[in-house]
Amino acid sequence: MRDTLWAGIFVLVALTFALVSQAGTEGAQRPLDTPLAVYTAACSSCHGDDGRGRSRERVGFDVELPDFSDCSFATREPDPDWFAVAHQGGPVRGFDHRMPAFGEALSEDQIELAVEHVRTFCEEDLWPSGNLNQARPMFTEKAFVEDEFVFTFGAAVQEPYAIDAELLYETRFGARSQLEVVVPFAGLDLAPVPGEPDSGGWTGGIGDIALGLKHVFLAAESTGSILSGIAEIITPTGNADRGLGKGVFVFEPALAFGQGLGPAGFLHLQVGMEVPAENDPGTEAFWRAAYGYTFTQGLFGRSWSPMLEVLGNIDIEEGASPHWDLAPQIQISLNTRQHIALGLATRIPLEPGHDRTIGVWAYLLWEWFDGGLGDGW
Ligand code: HEC
């Protein structure tokens, strides 16, 4: 009995040894089925074993190779974008044709493995993954941190007529933080004041300029969740007498949460308060949610992200009732690099009689880190 056991163990050990040494000698014939093997065979001749890119002399062209070990660059793109570039070649995202197409030479699984290996070059886990970044809703602030310019324009299409415009600048710093500046402009059709012949008519100008700080508290790629805190100071730069501003400093703390849902669905949530430095106007609480889904045109083309936002707010005072708005909308990527996008929305107040009107809104978004306005078309 003992002998049989020992014989059994011997055969097992010998078999394992034979299999392992055979795998070792097969070398180049081994199937490309690990991230490192695919990367070494297909990508490292240009991108280098360390992902920093080989020198111009080595690759024989002078297009600059990306540095995949630079986390600030390498964490922001979602996997499908890198998959598209490796499958179709650089031009599919407006990059140089010297980034070759591997769609014929490698299987889709192998391309995924190569991209998986590219992901390992950034070694700091603090950086939130680009896979957590979703399309931008018109009103709900995202939890993801961005380097962006967004120009927003809105118009009330019912009386009292008004237009609103806003330039937003966002810049990331560190792995998880972002600074933002909002410069609003407004135009209003003021109602005439009885007994004052020259009153009423259109007025316009700069509104209350805001400064904000955002920080990502939690970024979990495994569950597709991201949570951030936002602190904004709204300064009384707008003329309050003409309805262009609130006339006082307002502090706006908020939490923003993003959740990926299935392959291409997503949810954004934001809750916060507007707390004025003085008693008038009163404190307000708000909550916003946006549910959306991103469709890709063809396999690697333009993205279309229809969304529905639900917006609510309430004055913190006795007897106040909440206001609700619905905002159906869409975001469309405009160029092949996909760093310039258009958003279109309508905002519909759900309860009439609050002097709140139906509005149409549009934004033009430019992720300036990914290239200039004229790049990647
Ligand atoms: C013949 C050289 C060469 C090979 C081989 C090569 N690449 Fe590239 N790759 C480039 C160049 C050049 C660029 C930069 C293009 C640009 O910036 O316009 C690039 C860019 C990229 C980018 C775009 C990064 C960004 O800016 O968002 C990704 C992703 C990428 N390569 C992945 C791969 C993968 C994965 C492989 C292997 C399957 C691979 N590359 C093989 C030359 C190469």
Side-chain angles (χ1 to χ4, degrees), residues 41-352:
C43 320
S44 68
S45 60
C46 292
H47 290 291
D49 292 334
D50 58 1
R52 288 166 193 263
R54 291 198 195 277
S55 66
R56 288 169 193 200
E57 297 75 52
R58 284 289 295 279
V59 292
F61 55 74
D62 56 3
V63 178
E64 205 179 319
L65 282 149
D67 178 356
F68 292 127
S69 70
D70 170 6
C71 297
S72 164
F73 154 77
T75 51
R76 28 183 104 213
E77 294 309 325
D79 288 342
D81 270 344
W82 277 6
F83 181 88
V85 166
H87 194 281
Q88 298 294 94
V92 75
R93 284 288 174 272
F95 293 110
D96 196 88
H97 68 271
R98 282 178 202 84
M99 167 58 214
F102 288 91
E104 310 250 294
L106 298 176
S107 70
E108 298 200 344
D109 288 347
Q110 287 171 323
I111 294 177
E112 270 171 22
L113 291 173
V115 170
E116 195 182 319
H117 189 69
V118 173
R119 288 271 175 228
T120 61
F121 292 123
C122 156
E123 289 176 342
E124 300 158 33
D125 346 312
L126 259 187
W127 298 79
S129 155
N131 291 329
L132 300 172
N133 197 0
Q134 309 283 2
R136 178 189 194 272
M138 188 66 70
F139 305 104
T140 308
E141 182 151 358
K142 297 200 301 188
F144 203 83
V145 279
E146 300 270 18
D147 287 313
E148 259 174 16
F149 270 111
V150 186
F151 178 72
T152 306
F153 183 84
V157 293
Q158 294 172 304
E159 283 189 61
Y161 296 113
I163 53 169
D164 270 299
E166 174 189 298
L167 187 63
L168 164 70
Y169 170 72
E170 296 175 330
T171 182
R172 289 177 66 162
F173 64 97
R176 294 192 158 198
S177 303
Q178 173 205 291
L179 198 73
E180 66 183 44
V181 184
V182 188
V183 184
F185 307 88
L188 308 165
D189 191 8
L190 297 178
V193 180
E196 287 186 29
D198 287 339
S199 66
W202 278 88
T203 184
I206 203 162
D208 289 344
I209 295 177
L211 289 176
L213 202 62
K214 190 194 289 186
H215 185 78
V216 177
F217 295 134
L218 180 149
E221 210 186 339
S222 53
T223 58
S225 326
I226 178 164
L227 175 73
S228 297
I230 306 163
E232 213 169 84
I233 300 241
I234 304 166
T235 63
T237 46
N239 185 329
D241 294 340
R242 287 197 285 145
L244 299 172
K246 293 207 161 145
V248 294
F249 279 94
V250 179
F251 178 55
E252 190 187 298
L255 283 175
F257 178 71
Q259 178 65 51
L261 300 170
F266 56 88
L267 184 69
H268 297 287
L269 298 174
Q270 187 192 2
V271 288
M273 307 256 281
E274 283 196 7
V275 188
E278 291 160 35
N279 275 342
D280 184 42
T283 300
E284 182 190 306
F286 62 85
W287 53 93
R288 301 167 183 160
Y291 170 73
Y293 194 94
T294 296
F295 297 91
T296 306
Q297 197 175 330
L299 274 181
F300 303 107
R302 196 183 299 287
S303 18
W304 300 79
S305 308
M307 288 173 260
L308 180 66
E309 274 187 282
V310 180
L311 311 161
N313 69 305
I314 189 167
D315 294 330
I316 310 279
E317 62 183 32
E318 261 196 56
S321 55
H323 298 329
W324 292 93
D325 290 29
L326 272 188
Q329 59 192 280
I330 190 159
Q331 179 188 297
I332 308 158
S333 65
L334 292 184
N335 61 344
T336 35
R337 179 86 41 99
Q338 303 210 324
H339 70 304
I340 297 168
L342 175 74
L344 297 170
T346 63
R347 178 171 180 154
I348 306 156
L350 287 190
E351 75 293 350

